[in-house]
Amino acid sequence: MEASTDPAILIDLLQAMVSQTTWVYAELWAPSAGRLMTDAVWWRPGKSGEGFAGLERLSRSMALKPGTGLAGKTWETGELEWSEDLTVKGSALEGSPRQAAVEAAGIMASLTVPVKTDEGKVVAVVVLLSQKVEPAVEAKMTALEALSTSAAPFLEHLVAQREVQ
């Protein structure tokens, strides 16, 4: 189920999105045959290695339908979603197929960012995770949306290549 992309470029994108922030774990999900699949994962060195490795293994084994899980919901709506505290009852994580793995990694907050073309088409979703409660900050959301938009042409090309293979 693994996608064929240039992982170094995708890792650079994830690192750029979490640098200078408190987010510790990042994933890039891109569509393939009508499902979202994990194309790249990065986490801060020295942070919860085994917990994050388990989360990465689980994420890479999944193919999400639109509306399923954190990434699938953002793929379906095309809207950024900031979940300040995933530990509260009724959070975006509750009932997710990755709930146990996210909790085992000590994750407490999430931010999902759609990567959209100028026409508004979602070509990928970036999921950022934190090990602390993260109150929403408008300036951070705006900056991350701008960075994801700048990556959209490259990611749109990767998705198009995958669809013809």
Side-chain angles (χ1 to χ4, degrees), residues 23-54:
W23 301 101
V24 295
Y25 179 93
E27 299 172 331
L28 186 131
W29 293 75
S32 178
R35 306 282 180 139
L36 273 185
M37 303 191 47
T38 305
D39 273 336
V41 175
W42 179 83
W43 64 81
R44 288 185 189 274
K47 293 289 184 180
S48 189
E50 188 47 46
F52 290 165

Side-chain angles (χ1 to χ4, degrees), residues 103-128:
E103 289 171 351
I107 299 302
M108 299 182 76
S110 70
L111 173 61
T112 54
V113 182
V115 179
K116 294 192 259 187
T117 64
D118 291 338
E119 296 79 32
K121 178 183 175 187
V122 178
V123 294
V125 174
V126 174
V127 176
L128 303 173

